[in-house]
């Protein structure tokens, strides 16, 4: 049996790995206030960049290895930020659409893909009518849907530019028990469970083919850091440590064990033919 000192040590280690340090715990966290929330800006200094940029290369590879088997030959990525995720698909797509609604990100994406006729860059804030050169067989949303109040309409808008039988791949933060200051700061309307995400997907007329929680250890670390420790900002230096230690261990465990919950909920939804 662990002593109370050992338990505090474990909690402290998890806090150090994920957050900028503990603060005095406040009241239970709730969802973001009502309002017209659209997909997030992901500019150079945005908080969420620290979870998927250069500080988190193993995590980005984890994302890619999870998503890539479900991507066809043409893809629309919603909320591309600076293009860290989409660049991993270079060479395997016939047509790529990258998008964001932050002017800085859109400008950087245009610079990145200047002169590449196989890549289209658009300014996109969901929900919206989407105009692209042609339909795609895959839409990918990495940590975007949780920012959108009318998530069902956003999914319908995406289905309208997806080929019949195509897929919409959704990666969202999981479980309201993990909702904290960080979620509020970056404009999260909610965190999903498999059940709540399935409800939105089905209401949009899509058919879920894959629907599961992932990143079990990340969920535990996030709970200690955000809900118990009150950390509101992921220190990039410590995220790098987390990326080198917890992420590889999580990937190994989840090859053999189906997690009961996780930091993330992953869904692949089919557009009916």
């Amino acid at each position: 049996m662990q002593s109370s000192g050992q338990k505090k040590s474990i909690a402290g280690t998890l806090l150090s790995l994920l957050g900028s340090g503990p603060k005095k715990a406040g009241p239970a966290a709730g969802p973001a206030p009502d309002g017209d929330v659209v997909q997030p800006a992901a500019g150079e200094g945005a908080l969420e960049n620290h979870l998927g940029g250069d500080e988190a290369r193993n995590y980005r590879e984890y994302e890619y290895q999870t998503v890539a088997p479900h991507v066809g030959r043409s893809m629309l990525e919603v909320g591309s930020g600076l293009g860290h995720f989409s660049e991993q698909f270079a060479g395997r797509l016939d047509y790529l659409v990258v998008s964001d609604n932050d002017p800085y990100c859109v400008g950087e994406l245009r610079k990145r893909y200047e002169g590449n006729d196989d890549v289209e860059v658009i300014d996109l804030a969901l929900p919206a009518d989407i105009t692209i050169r042609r339909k795609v067989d895959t839409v990918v949303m990495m940590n975007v849907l949780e920012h959108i109040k009318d998530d069902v309409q956003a999914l319908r808008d995406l289905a309208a530019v997806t080929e019949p039988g195509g897929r919409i791949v959704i990666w969202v933060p999981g479980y309201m028990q993990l909702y904290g200051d960080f979620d509020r700061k970056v404009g999260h309307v909610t965190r999903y469970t498999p059940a709540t995400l399935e409800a939105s997907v089905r209401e949009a007329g899509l058919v879920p083919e894959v629907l599961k929680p992932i990143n079990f250890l990340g969920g535990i670390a996030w709970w200690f850091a955000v809900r118990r420790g009150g950390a509101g900002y992921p220190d990039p230096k410590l995220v790098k440590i987390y990326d080198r230690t917890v992420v590889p261990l999580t990937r190994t465990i989840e090859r053999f064990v189906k997690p009961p919950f996780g930091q993330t909920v992953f869904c692949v939804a089919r557009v009916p033919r």
Side-chain angles (χ1 to χ4, degrees), residues 116-216:
N116 189 336
D117 294 335
D118 295 329
V119 180
E120 185 174 1
V121 180
I122 63 172
D123 189 331
L124 176 62
L126 291 170
D129 292 331
I130 303 169
T131 302
I132 54 179
R133 291 200 297 258
R134 61 182 175 89
K135 288 189 174 184
V136 295
D137 59 41
T138 312
V139 172
V140 173
M141 308 178 74
M142 306 298 293
N143 293 316
V144 171
L145 195 64
E146 69 274 10
H147 293 262
I148 303 172
K149 184 177 180 182
D150 193 348
D151 57 351
V152 173
Q153 185 57 51
L155 290 171
R156 288 173 178 155
D157 293 336
L158 293 169
V161 295
T162 306
E163 296 173 357
R167 298 182 176 111
I168 298 179
V169 181
I170 306 165
W171 181 292
V172 288
Y175 299 89
M176 285 301 292
Q177 293 91 331
L178 303 181
Y179 194 103
D181 285 345
F182 176 82
D183 296 276
R184 280 189 289 271
K185 286 178 180 178
V186 298
H188 289 176
V189 176
T190 190
R191 296 179 73 100
Y192 288 88
T193 66
T196 59
L197 184 55
E198 179 179 7
S200 294
V201 164
R202 290 194 181 278
E203 188 177 347
L206 306 172
V207 180
E209 292 189 334
V210 178
L211 184 59
K212 60 183 180 180
I214 59 175
N215 197 8
F216 176 70

Side-chain angles (χ1 to χ4, degrees), residues 1-2 16 49 70 91 112 176 183 212 223-224 237 264:
M1 179 179 294
Q2 294 174 328
S16 296
N49 275 3
H70 307 285
R112 178 187 290 268
M176 285 301 292
D183 296 276
K212 60 183 180 180
W223 185 83
F224 271 113
K237 293 180 181 178
T264 298

